[in-house]
Amino acid sequence: MLRIAIQKSGRLNEESQRLLAECGIRVDNGADQLKAVARNFPLQVYYLRNSDIPQYLADGVCDAAIVGENTLKEKGLPFVKHLALGFGRCRLSLAIPKSERYTDISWFNGKRIATSYPNTLRKILQERAIDAEIHEISGSVEIAPNIGLADGICDLVSSGGTLERNGLKEVESLFSSEACLVSSSRISSDAQTLLDRLVFRLVSVLNAQNNKYVLLNAPNHKIQAISQILPGIKSPTVMPLAEPGWSSLHSVIGEDRFWEILDQLKAAGAEGILIIPIEKMVS
Ligand code: PRT
């Protein structure tokens, strides 16, 4: 069996469970269970604290995990990264009180910085030749400047709302993070074979999430121009309509360029454009 760890509760839990479900894997999980076995895939799911997962991977207690990249970086333990999963996005940033004048990162020389990410911060400060004092605290980092514990903070930011509410401004974004699928460097070859099957399913799910199926009608003399706009997997499917001189074109468009391509299609003479979500996309 493949043993995979996911966060027990917190920001990554729901999406991790949803991804496994989208891969067709059925796991019955009672709220307080530490482990559960999937009904239709040789998989055992361990529900753990996100911050504990790197150690379990390094010890070989789990074969694989869905975990935040920031946590892996902070722990500095060995792992193999397979996929970025597109959720749990955030950035590790430096922030200071809004009233302070900020020029560049040298502002932090001789200052005290509160953080739950001391190892990552220490490394980055060293790389940038900044000599600051690091205060490690385990939570509510954002209140540190207000209570006089630090001059600035280094913490995860997503919407920026927490900084705003605490009178802080983000001045340096140090790195971006998202949830990713990783494996233990001690994974057995049997577990690796199962992990490869899981990765194949996850890639199909993620591709489907990031693409849309598009159907449109066009007069035959515009097919060539429209085909050049449609990226598609190979080239668009072209089928004649019942009305002479008209065809239907089918293709796949990536989410990131979706609206831009739609505008171009309309300008090139496409009509009756339909956009359909894709269930799975196997490449
Ligand atoms: O307890 P456990 O170890 O399981 O989890 P955890 O302590 O790591 O807590 P959790 O569930 O909060 O975070 C799990 C993971 O979610 C993190 O390791 C990140 O990979 C990811 N993630 C994504 C975030 C955020 N976004 C995030 N915004 N983790 C924390 N935050 C916090 C941040 O620390 C700050 O307090 O949210 C606040 C800022 O949010 P905004 O939206 O106000 O900017």
Side-chain angles (χ1 to χ4, degrees):
M1 259 200 204
L2 177 69
R3 299 161 303 167
I4 188 168
I6 64 170
Q7 191 187 26
K8 183 174 172 53
S9 64
R11 289 167 198 266
L12 307 182
N13 167 270
E14 217 173 279
E15 280 291 298
S16 304
Q17 301 209 73
R18 189 191 59 79
L19 259 189
L20 292 179
E22 294 263 318
C23 289
I25 296 172
R26 303 277 160 258
V27 187
D28 301 320
N29 174 31
D32 297 325
Q33 268 179 286
L34 179 66
K35 311 194 251 193
V37 175
R39 270 190 272 150
N40 54 354
F41 193 88
L43 184 80
Q44 194 164 35
V45 182
Y46 286 54
Y47 300 93
L48 302 173
R49 289 193 60 174
N50 178 61
S51 41
D52 291 339
I53 289 177
Q55 190 65 57
Y56 281 96
L57 277 175
D59 292 344
V61 174
C62 304
D63 303 307
I66 294 178
V67 60
E69 262 176 313
N70 53 297
T71 311
L72 293 161
K73 194 168 173 130
E74 176 62 19
K75 302 289 178 188
L77 293 164
F79 65 90
V80 181
K81 183 174 168 183
H82 295 273
L83 287 175
L85 299 173
F87 66 91
R89 287 205 171 103
C90 54
R91 51 198 186 273
L92 186 73
S93 293
L94 288 168
I96 62 171
K98 277 184 186 165
S99 54
E100 292 288 336
R101 249 193 84 239
Y102 186 79
T103 42
D104 56 55
I105 197 164
S106 65
W107 183 92
F108 286 94
N109 269 319
K111 300 282 200 308
R112 298 162 303 161
I113 309 175
T115 187
S116 309
Y117 292 88
N119 298 327
T120 312
L121 177 61
R122 191 169 301 113
K123 202 159 168 261
I124 293 173
L125 291 180
Q126 262 167 16
E127 282 163 12
R128 305 205 185 174
I130 302 299
D131 183 18
E133 204 180 300
I134 297 174
H135 282 262
E136 180 179 353
I137 48 177
S138 56
S140 303
V141 172
E142 61 281 353
I143 63 167
N146 289 324
I147 59 172
L149 184 70
D151 302 297
I153 68 164
C154 172
D155 198 12
L156 298 176
V157 179
S158 40
S159 68
T162 304
L163 295 183
E164 182 64 33
R165 280 193 296 282
N166 287 279
L168 301 173
K169 59 181 176 188
E170 185 178 1
V171 290
E172 298 283 340
S173 172
L174 303 177
F175 78 88
S176 299
S177 171
E178 66 186 281
C180 51
L181 177 76
V182 295
S183 66
S184 167
S185 49
R186 298 164 65 167
I187 191 168
S188 69
S189 62
D190 286 349
Q192 181 65 53
T193 305
L194 293 171
L195 180 62
D196 292 343
R197 280 174 60 195
L198 179 64
V199 168
F200 172 77
R201 292 189 189 192
L202 281 168
V203 169
S204 305
V205 169
L206 295 172
N207 279 343
Q209 268 174 20
N210 298 333
N211 289 282
K212 298 261 184 268
Y213 195 74
V214 58
L215 297 98
L216 59 89
N217 296 333
N220 288 345
H221 67 276
K222 292 190 174 165
I223 290 176
Q224 205 187 345
I226 290 176
S227 299
Q228 276 164 5
I229 298 166
L230 286 169
I233 303 175
K234 280 206 172 81
S235 64
T237 306
V238 182
M239 287 186 282
L241 290 183
E243 189 175 329
W246 282 76
S247 294
S248 168
L249 278 74
H250 300 196
S251 191
V252 170
I253 304 186
E255 190 91 301
D256 48 342
R257 293 192 55 218
F258 177 73
W259 291 108
E260 177 196 330
I261 290 176
L262 220 55
D263 288 342
Q264 291 174 18
L265 289 173
K266 278 168 62 188
E271 292 182 18
I273 304 173
L274 286 180
I275 311 298
I276 300 171
I278 299 171
E279 173 65 32
K280 301 280 184 293
M281 193 166 146
V282 181
S283 48

